[in-house]
CSV table of all heavy atoms in Angstrom, one decimal:
chain,number,residue,atom,x,y,z
A,58,PHE,N,21.9,40.3,-30.7
A,58,PHE,CA,20.6,40.6,-30.1
A,58,PHE,C,20.1,39.3,-29.3
A,58,PHE,O,20.2,38.2,-29.8
A,58,PHE,CB,19.7,41.0,-31.2
A,58,PHE,CG,20.1,42.2,-31.9
A,58,PHE,CD1,20.6,42.0,-33.2
A,58,PHE,CD2,20.1,43.4,-31.4
A,58,PHE,CE1,21.1,43.1,-33.9
A,58,PHE,CE2,20.6,44.5,-32.1
A,58,PHE,CZ,21.1,44.4,-33.4
A,59,SER,N,19.6,39.6,-28.1
A,59,SER,CA,18.9,38.6,-27.3
A,59,SER,C,17.6,39.1,-26.8
A,59,SER,O,17.4,40.3,-26.9
A,59,SER,CB,19.9,38.2,-26.2
A,59,SER,OG,20.0,39.3,-25.2
A,60,LEU,N,16.8,38.2,-26.2
A,60,LEU,CA,15.6,38.7,-25.6
A,60,LEU,C,15.9,39.6,-24.4
A,60,LEU,O,15.1,40.5,-24.1
A,60,LEU,CB,14.8,37.5,-25.1
A,60,LEU,CG,14.1,36.7,-26.2
A,60,LEU,CD1,13.6,35.4,-25.7
A,60,LEU,CD2,12.9,37.5,-26.8
A,61,GLN,N,17.0,39.5,-23.8
A,61,GLN,CA,17.3,40.3,-22.6
A,61,GLN,C,17.8,41.7,-23.0
A,61,GLN,O,17.5,42.7,-22.3
A,61,GLN,CB,18.4,39.6,-21.8
A,61,GLN,CG,18.0,38.4,-21.1
A,61,GLN,CD,17.9,37.2,-22.0
A,61,GLN,OE1,18.6,37.0,-23.0
A,61,GLN,NE2,17.0,36.3,-21.7
A,62,ASN,N,18.5,41.9,-24.1
A,62,ASN,CA,19.1,43.2,-24.5
A,62,ASN,C,18.3,43.9,-25.5
A,62,ASN,O,18.6,45.1,-25.8
A,62,ASN,CB,20.6,43.1,-24.8
A,62,ASN,CG,20.8,42.4,-26.2
A,62,ASN,OD1,19.9,42.1,-26.9
A,62,ASN,ND2,22.1,42.2,-26.5
A,63,MET,N,17.4,43.3,-26.2
A,63,MET,CA,16.8,43.9,-27.4
A,63,MET,C,16.0,45.2,-27.1
A,63,MET,O,16.0,46.1,-27.9
A,63,MET,CB,16.1,42.9,-28.3
A,63,MET,CG,14.9,42.3,-27.6
A,63,MET,SD,14.1,41.0,-28.6
A,63,MET,CE,13.0,41.9,-29.6
A,64,ASP,N,15.3,45.2,-26.0
A,64,ASP,CA,14.5,46.4,-25.7
A,64,ASP,C,15.4,47.6,-25.6
A,64,ASP,O,15.0,48.7,-26.0
A,64,ASP,CB,13.7,46.2,-24.4
A,64,ASP,CG,12.5,45.2,-24.6
A,64,ASP,OD1,12.2,44.8,-25.7
A,64,ASP,OD2,11.9,44.8,-23.6
A,65,GLY,N,16.5,47.5,-24.9
A,65,GLY,CA,17.4,48.6,-24.8
A,65,GLY,C,18.1,49.1,-26.1
A,65,GLY,O,18.6,50.2,-26.2
A,66,LEU,N,18.0,48.2,-27.1
A,66,LEU,CA,18.6,48.5,-28.4
A,66,LEU,C,17.6,48.9,-29.4
A,66,LEU,O,17.9,49.2,-30.6
A,66,LEU,CB,19.4,47.3,-28.9
A,66,LEU,CG,20.6,46.9,-28.0
A,66,LEU,CD1,21.1,45.5,-28.4
A,66,LEU,CD2,21.7,47.9,-28.1
A,67,ALA,N,16.3,49.0,-29.0
A,67,ALA,CA,15.2,49.3,-30.0
A,67,ALA,C,15.4,50.6,-30.8
A,67,ALA,O,15.2,50.6,-32.0
A,67,ALA,CB,13.9,49.3,-29.2
A,68,LYS,N,15.8,51.6,-30.1
A,68,LYS,CA,16.0,52.9,-30.8
A,68,LYS,C,17.1,52.8,-31.9
A,68,LYS,O,17.0,53.4,-33.0
A,68,LYS,CB,16.3,54.1,-29.8
A,68,LYS,CG,15.1,54.4,-28.9
A,68,LYS,CD,14.0,55.0,-29.7
A,68,LYS,CE,12.8,55.3,-28.8
A,68,LYS,NZ,11.6,55.7,-29.5
A,69,ALA,N,18.2,52.2,-31.5
A,69,ALA,CA,19.3,52.0,-32.5
A,69,ALA,C,18.9,51.1,-33.6
A,69,ALA,O,19.2,51.4,-34.8
A,69,ALA,CB,20.5,51.4,-31.8
A,70,ILE,N,18.1,50.1,-33.4
A,70,ILE,CA,17.6,49.2,-34.4
A,70,ILE,C,16.7,50.0,-35.3
A,70,ILE,O,16.8,49.9,-36.6
A,70,ILE,CB,16.9,48.0,-33.8
A,70,ILE,CG1,17.9,47.1,-33.1
A,70,ILE,CG2,16.1,47.2,-34.9
A,70,ILE,CD1,17.2,46.0,-32.2
Side-chain angles (χ1 to χ4, degrees):
F58 302 106
S59 68
L60 285 167
Q61 292 76 31
N62 72 5
M63 64 188 273
D64 288 350
L66 298 167
K68 292 294 181 188
I70 293 167

